[in-house]
Amino acid sequence: MKTIELKKAPPAVSTLAKGTKRESFVFTAAGRPVAALISVREIDRETLSLSLNPDFIGLIQRSRGSLERTGGMSLREVRQRLRVARGSTRRAARTTA
């Protein structure tokens, strides 16, 4: 992800960017969206970067597909599995010490 200081952006882009306080802009080519200009004032860089990362988006899509196919796990099941995992790790650490 590249960063451009607003003072160094072309005047038209700078003007549009200042307008993102009120609305977002979608740029089109032959009637199809190709880019967007949105406000990111309330978004941290990590969240923004992940939301644009194709690998991360693919991971989320695969995870959602898996959830639809196999179902999820209740909070109770998660807690039970974590207790077992934590307990087995502690026991393993004690026996090797």
Side-chain angles (χ1 to χ4, degrees):
M1 181 170 64
K2 292 184 179 183
T3 302
I4 300 170
E5 183 62 38
L6 198 53
K7 290 183 263 181
K8 295 180 180 179
V13 173
S14 179
T15 300
L16 288 174
K18 290 173 186 171
T20 61
K21 288 181 183 179
R22 295 181 307 279
E23 60 187 332
S24 300
F25 301 92
V26 176
F27 299 91
T28 61
R32 295 179 177 215
V34 293
L37 186 59
I38 61 170
S39 173
V40 292
R41 285 179 180 85
E42 303 297 322
I43 301 173
D44 61 85
R45 286 184 66 90
E46 182 179 22
T47 300
L48 179 61
S49 180
L50 283 174
S51 69
L52 299 173
N53 183 305
D55 293 335
F56 183 74
I57 293 168
L59 173 71
I60 296 298
Q61 289 171 338
R62 288 189 304 278
S63 179
R64 287 178 179 159
S66 174
L67 178 63
E68 287 177 13
R69 286 188 307 279
T70 64
M73 193 182 306
S74 71
L75 182 56
R76 185 178 186 179
E77 289 175 288
V78 171
R79 286 182 174 154
Q80 287 174 343
R81 287 186 182 199
L82 287 175
R83 278 190 211 116
V84 169
R86 283 190 205 141
S88 63
T89 303
R90 287 183 188 143
R91 275 187 243 113
R94 286 185 199 140
T95 58
T96 58

